[in-house]
């Protein structure tokens, strides 16, 4: 059954199925091409009549997530990808809580069209679900003279402004918006939480595995210079705008070659406009204190990357300098985890460095500033990759039948997937509606932590040894 909703740019026609209506590929900004390439997002052109919103837009330019796998973007798809998708309960009335998802992918991969992000099951809990596309890689995060930095984050702000203006027509309450995301999406949530540009656009936030990787303007400029030299063009907006997106994609891994555990050359840039510092430093000043925050990590974050990357022969001592750890910290790790072989200890150190400590610091900073804060550890273990990075995503959306879900969950899907997924979805939607995810708040004196596993438990902070090692090694992260 068709369902038509009027937005300020024109009417859109969605499809109702199973008690939930979906509206796909609605533009929230104009295509970033021609004079708009490397520019801040501009409003979309209005349309006459009713626009079919039954298919996803193009995805942002990107390479395949893993060599040999198809990419969600091909050059012939073009650049008209700044869109949102909406799932809303049929007959749900008005004033429903709104959940706005920001995908992960190391700031260089991702698409709201991926099946794992289908919002139908979440919307069935009585919420409106929105997913968005934003610019990736150099298109979204490269620094160029005369171009705004953090264009991918500016896209996210524009999408949230669209939600603020339009979501009531889809049954949502613009004053009851929760922004949530995983990995680079969680990093984006943390950035938006601390940025004055996003103030008032959301009431609550859920950050699933906040990563490190925030760069200064100078560091981002050095990456631009490396790419310009590789491409043989001047390091200017005009020089890069003359290149097709696929030409930039072909060299995007050049700046991280040879780095231990290098994941991406792109991400948030401390430009002193949109971003004034690392989230945990900014949150400590009280920025975002009025926003309720749930954040957490998976129990074996880095196992995903060691499974996909040849790290044979890498010792704990090899990762110390790249992660800004003194040598004595590695001695402390060996003492704290005496039974672990080197390969597993490297996973623990990098899990802490890249995700678990940034997430913990963000929770501490938000709580220290007086914000209501909850912390979790997603410890459910899959059959091949354990409790690895992103294993919480299929549980979040209840999507167990996608190719990426099969990689994480195994096949057949374990029988405890559905009840744990249902519990997680109930928690996230209850938090969006009421500000209570269902377990005690995290405070500096009592660092309560929810452990998502079978069974679900609540208790003290789950990796105290790592937390203490980093407290001594980097007292001011």
């Amino acid at each position: 059954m068709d369902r038509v909703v009027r937005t300020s740019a024109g009417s859109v026609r969605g499809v109702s199925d199973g008690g939930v209506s979906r509206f796909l590929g609605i533009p929230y900004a104009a295509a970033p091409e021609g004079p708009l390439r490397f520019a801040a997002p501009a409003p979309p052109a209005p349309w006459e009549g009713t626009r079919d919103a039954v298919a996803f837009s193009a995805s942002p330019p990107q390479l395949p997530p893993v060599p040999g796998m198809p990419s969600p973007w091909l050059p012939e798809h073009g650049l008209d990808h700044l869109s949102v998708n909406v799932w809303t309960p049929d007959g749900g009335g008005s004033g429903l809580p709104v959940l706005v998802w920001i995908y992960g992918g190391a700031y260089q991969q991702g698409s709201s069209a991926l099946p794992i992000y289908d919002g139908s099951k979440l919307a069935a809990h009585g919420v409106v679900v929105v997913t968005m596309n934003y610019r990736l890689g150099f298109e979204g995060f490269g620094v160029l003279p005369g171009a705004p930095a953090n264009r991918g984050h500016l896209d996210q702000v524009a999408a949230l402004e669209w939600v603020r203006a339009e979501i009531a027509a889809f049954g949502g309450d613009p004053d009851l918006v929760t922004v949530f995301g995983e990995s680079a999406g969680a990093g984006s949530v943390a950035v938006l939480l601390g940025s004055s540009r996003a103030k008032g656009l959301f009431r609550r936030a859920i950050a699933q595995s906040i990563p490190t990787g925030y760069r200064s303007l100078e560091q981002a400029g050095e990456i631009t210079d490396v790419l310009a030299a590789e491409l043989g063009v001047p390091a200017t907006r005009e020089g890069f705008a003359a290149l097709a997106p696929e030409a930039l994609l072909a060299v995007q891994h050049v700046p991280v070659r040879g780095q231990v555990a290098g994941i991406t050359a792109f991400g948030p840039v401390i430009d002193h406009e949109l971003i004034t510092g690392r989230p945990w430093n900014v949150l400590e000043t009280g920025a975002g204190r009025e926003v309720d925050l749930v954040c957490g990590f998976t129990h074996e974050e880095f196992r995903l990357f060691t499974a996909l990357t040849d790290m044979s022969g890498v010792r704990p001592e090899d990762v110390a300098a790249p992660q800004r750890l003194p040598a004595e910290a590695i001695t402390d790790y060996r003492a704290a985890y005496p039974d672990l072989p080197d390969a597993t200890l490297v996973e623990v150190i990098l899990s802490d460095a890249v995700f678990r400590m940034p997430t913990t610091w963000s929770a501490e900073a938000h709580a220290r500033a007086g914000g209501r804060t909850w912390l979790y550890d997603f410890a459910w273990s899959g059959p091949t990759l354990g409790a690895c990075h992103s294993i919480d995503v299929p549980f979040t959306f209840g999507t167990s039948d996608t190719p990426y879900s099969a990689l994480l969950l195994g096949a057949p899907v374990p029988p405890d997937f559905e009840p744990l997924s249902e519990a997680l979805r109930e928690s996230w939607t209850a938090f969006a509606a009421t500000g209570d995810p269902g377990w005690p708040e995290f405070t500096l004196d009592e660092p309560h932590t929810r452990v998502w596993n079978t069974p679900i438990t609540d208790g003290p902070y789950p990796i105290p040894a790592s937390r203490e090692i980093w407290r001594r090694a980097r007292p001011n992260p």
Side-chain angles (χ1 to χ4, degrees), residues 37 73 75 139 227 231 240 242-252:
R37 194 168 176 207
W73 180 82
E139 303 284 341
L227 294 179
L231 292 161
F240 276 74
L243 300 169
E246 55 267 33
L248 292 179
L249 293 176
V251 299
Q252 74 173 13

Side-chain angles (χ1 to χ4, degrees), residues 181-377:
E182 183 269 342
S183 193
S188 299
V189 169
V191 162
L192 296 171
L193 182 62
S195 176
S196 61
R197 287 290 301 270
K199 189 175 178 64
L201 293 178
F202 55 95
R203 183 171 176 177
R204 299 188 176 105
I206 302 171
Q208 303 176 206
S209 301
I210 299 172
T212 189
Y214 302 86
R215 292 175 172 83
S216 67
L217 279 168
E218 292 74 21
Q219 290 169 326
E222 290 170 2
I223 291 171
T224 299
D225 291 340
V226 169
L227 294 179
E230 185 77 12
L231 292 161
V233 298
T236 63
R237 183 173 180 175
E238 294 73 20
F240 276 74
L243 300 169
E246 55 267 33
L248 292 179
L249 293 176
V251 299
Q252 74 173 13
H253 292 306
V254 169
V256 296
R257 286 177 187 163
Q259 291 186 24
V260 176
I263 296 174
T264 176
F266 306 104
V269 177
I270 300 172
D271 61 353
H272 305 289
E273 294 181 10
L274 182 78
I275 303 175
T276 58
R278 291 174 174 83
W280 41 93
N281 300 134
V282 174
L283 296 180
E284 197 160 51
T285 69
R289 180 172 52 197
E290 72 283 357
V291 176
D292 301 333
L293 173 64
V294 169
C295 58
F297 43 77
T298 70
H299 199 69
E300 298 168 308
E301 289 273 9
F302 217 79
R303 185 160 298 179
L304 176 68
F305 304 100
T306 53
L308 298 175
T309 307
D310 182 11
M311 296 186 66
S312 57
V314 175
R315 301 175 68 246
E317 288 77 8
D318 299 329
V319 303
Q323 303 305 328
R324 295 169 53 213
L325 280 174
E328 55 265 29
I330 303 304
T331 301
D332 292 342
Y333 264 109
R334 290 191 181 279
Y337 302 96
D339 299 326
L340 295 185
D342 274 5
T344 306
L345 190 57
V346 166
E347 282 185 358
V348 171
I349 295 169
L350 291 176
S351 293
D352 289 342
V354 181
F355 297 106
R356 296 196 303 208
M357 290 306 109
T359 302
T360 300
W361 296 332
S362 297
E364 291 172 342
H366 193 253
R368 186 176 292 114
R372 299 175 70 229
T373 312
W374 291 262
L375 187 70
Y376 72 84
D377 175 8

Side-chain angles (χ1 to χ4, degrees), residues 60-119:
Q62 60 196 279
L63 293 174
V66 177
M69 290 183 64
S71 171
W73 180 82
L74 296 173
E76 56 265 31
H77 295 166
L79 295 178
D80 193 3
H81 55 76
L82 297 182
S83 64
V84 293
N85 316 293
V86 181
W87 288 262
T88 184
D90 291 339
S94 60
L96 297 176
V98 183
L99 279 161
V100 181
W101 175 256
I102 305 177
Y103 52 69
Y107 302 102
Q108 60 188 14
Q109 267 110 25
S111 169
S112 64
L114 297 179
I116 200 168
Y117 303 139
D118 186 292

Side-chain angles (χ1 to χ4, degrees), residues 149-163:
N150 297 304
R151 293 175 296 277
H153 291 314
L154 292 175
D155 294 342
Q156 295 161 4
V157 171
L160 286 167
E161 290 172 339
W162 183 94
V163 169

